[in-house]
Amino acid sequence: MPTWLDFWQNENEFDDSMTANYAFFLDRVETYAPLSPSTRVLDIGSGPGNLEDAWHSRVGDIHGLDISKRYNEITRAKHAGHPNVHIHDIPADDYLNFGPVADRQFDLIIVMSVVQYYRSAAEIEQLLTNIKAAAAPGGRALLCDLIVAEGVLGDVLSILGRSLRQGQLLSMLRLLFRLRFSDYYSVRQQNGILIVPERDWLAMCKRLGIKARFIDEPLTLQQERKNLLLQF
Ligand SMILES: C[S@@+](CC[C@H](N)C(=O)[O-])C[C@H]1O[C@@H](n2cnc3c(N)ncnc32)[C@H](O)[C@@H]1O
């Protein structure tokens, strides 16, 4: 039975389509995460390198971590000429092992559209522990596009509404249609997707002594999805 890990390792419908969602995020993120030429950035689940493409010339070092060697190769190839971009493979069966960045501290940590592919809330608590260890004093982390409640229909309607307002309705409809008949749909049917309610996120942060709050405005096209800001 194919898993999420297999899905990301193969060519898939998200390869190009993530860019539209990312543009929406990039337009808003700096309200919560101010950048400077010395900002050290960690991008957990860096995928095809959307953040690295947008920020490599605006910040200090950017380190990306991903389980997909295929995405990591794509990002490395695009940034071969940028010595401040560092992309690390993390093991698909040990993805909470952040060994490649263990001795580093970061001012800004971004986790975009990743934790829904984790297996349990306990893994998320470990992720928060890792983030706390990696954050520099005064640093911030943004965990984005979090699925906090059941409801595929609401998710779909909200992304269509926003795409319409962004003038991207047709390309989003095309993506949703392709997804319905793709491996994404069958992998999601078989493996499910992790849903962690807002109160559970906040309770975990409290247990770990992390200052956390959900941001009011949407940072991604799916309005039902939430975005959590951590401050250290
Ligand atoms: C929807 S893509 C998002 C990529 C990127 N953050 C963006 O928004 O453009 C999900 C990414 O998470 C990665 N991923 C999935 N499970 C992961 C895990 N357990 N640890 C690290 N990365 C993971 C996938 O390989 C894929 O690159």
Side-chain angles (χ1 to χ4, degrees), residues 13 17 170-180:
E13 290 69 23
S17 66
L170 209 61
S171 62
M172 191 50 75
L173 275 172
R174 218 176 288 132
L175 171 67
L176 290 175
F177 185 78
R178 275 166 54 212
L179 283 179
R180 172 60 187 83

Side-chain angles (χ1 to χ4, degrees), residues 8 18 22 45 47 50 66-68 71 90 95 112-114 118:
W8 296 113
M18 278 185 263
Y22 223 82
N50 289 312
D66 206 290
I67 52 165
S68 168
Y71 277 148
I90 49 173
Y95 49 77
M112 163 66 93
S113 309
V114 177
Y118 277 30

Side-chain angles (χ1 to χ4, degrees), residues 186-198:
S186 52
V187 173
R188 183 169 171 158
Q189 292 282 92
Q190 285 163 9
N191 296 273
I193 207 137
L194 186 63
I195 297 171
V196 178
E198 284 167 272

Side-chain angles (χ1 to χ4, degrees), residues 43-52 64-66 71-72 75 87 114:
D43 183 16
I44 299 171
S46 43
N50 289 312
L51 191 70
E52 291 67 22
L65 299 174
D66 206 290
Y71 277 148
N72 288 343
T75 308
I87 301 298
V114 177

Side-chain angles (χ1 to χ4, degrees), residues 63-200:
H63 287 256
L65 299 174
D66 206 290
I67 52 165
S68 168
K69 292 194 165 74
R70 183 179 69 89
Y71 277 148
N72 288 343
E73 284 309 318
I74 291 172
T75 308
R76 282 189 197 109
K78 282 193 287 186
H79 292 283
H82 304 143
N84 63 334
V85 177
H86 312 270
I87 301 298
H88 309 280
D89 298 328
I90 49 173
D93 55 358
D94 189 19
Y95 49 77
L96 287 157
N97 177 351
F98 288 3
V101 293
D103 54 350
R104 296 184 179 276
Q105 294 249 286
F106 297 94
D107 307 297
L108 181 55
I109 299 171
I110 302 286
V111 190
M112 163 66 93
S113 309
V114 177
V115 294
Q116 49 266 50
Y117 308 110
Y118 277 30
R119 285 171 292 218
S120 66
E123 287 190 348
I124 294 209
E125 191 147 351
Q126 183 58 50
L127 171 71
L128 290 168
T129 305
N130 290 1
I131 289 176
K132 186 178 178 187
R140 291 177 177 211
L142 264 174
L143 293 98
C144 304
D145 207 35
L146 305 177
I147 303 180
V148 297
E150 297 279 355
V152 176
L153 187 63
D155 225 25
V156 167
L157 290 178
S158 122
I159 198 164
L160 286 179
R162 274 186 183 272
S163 305
L164 179 65
R165 289 193 285 283
Q166 302 283 307
Q168 290 171 344
L169 180 62
L170 209 61
S171 62
M172 191 50 75
L173 275 172
R174 218 176 288 132
L175 171 67
L176 290 175
F177 185 78
R178 275 166 54 212
L179 283 179
R180 172 60 187 83
F181 297 100
S182 71
D183 285 350
Y184 182 83
Y185 188 79
S186 52
V187 173
R188 183 169 171 158
Q189 292 282 92
Q190 285 163 9
N191 296 273
I193 207 137
L194 186 63
I195 297 171
V196 178
E198 284 167 272
R199 63 174 181 281
D200 293 5

